C-alpha cells in the first residue's frame, strides 16, 4: 500500500474515532438518565427502552473499534 492510501485510511480511522467518542458520550448520557430514574420506575417500559438503547450504542462503539482494527491491519500495522 502506498503512502497516500495509508494516509487516507488514517484519516478514516480518525473520523471513526471521533464518531466513537460521540457514541460513547451518548451511551454515558443514556445510562446516567436510566440510573437517575426513581427506583419505582427502574423496570418501567421507558427505562427498559433506555437500557436497550444504551446496549445498542455499546454494540455500535464496539463495531467501530473492530472497523478501526481492520483498517489498521489494511495499512500493515496489525
Amino acid at each position: 500500500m502506498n503512502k497516500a492510501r495509508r494516509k487516507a485510511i488514517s484519516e478514516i480511522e480518525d473520523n471513526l474515532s471521533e464518531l466513537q467518542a460521540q457514541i460513547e458520550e451518548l451511551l454515558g448520557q443514556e445510562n446516567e438518565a436510566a440510573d437517575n430514574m426513581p427506583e419505582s420506575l427502574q423496570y418501567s417500559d421507558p427505562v427498559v427502552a433506555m437500557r436497550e438503547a444504551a446496549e445498542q450504542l455499546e454494540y455500535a462503539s464496539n463495531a467501530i473499534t473492530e472497523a478501526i482494527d481492520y483498517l489498521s491491519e489494511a495499512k500493515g500495522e496489525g
Side-chain angles (χ1 to χ4, degrees), residues 1 5 7 11 14 19 21-22 39 47 50 55 62:
M1 177 170 297
R5 285 190 288 274
K7 183 176 187 244
E11 289 173 4
D14 291 344
L19 290 171
Q22 292 174 9
E39 184 68 32
V47 176
M50 293 166 83
E55 184 177 4
N62 291 339

Side-chain angles (χ1 to χ4, degrees), residues 12-51:
I12 293 168
E13 288 173 318
D14 291 344
N15 291 335
L16 287 172
S17 292
E18 288 177 28
L19 290 171
Q20 186 176 33
Q22 292 174 9
I23 290 169
E24 291 289 332
E25 176 68 24
L26 290 171
L27 171 59
Q29 291 173 4
E30 197 70 7
N31 278 327
E32 184 177 342
D35 291 344
N36 287 330
M37 295 297 274
E39 184 68 32
S40 62
L41 297 177
Q42 283 299 313
Y43 298 100
S44 66
D45 288 343
V47 176
V48 169
M50 293 166 83
R51 300 270 186 220

Side-chain angles (χ1 to χ4, degrees), residues 60-72:
S61 178
N62 291 339
I64 291 173
T65 297
E66 190 173 345
I68 291 170
D69 290 346
Y70 285 129
L71 291 168
S72 182

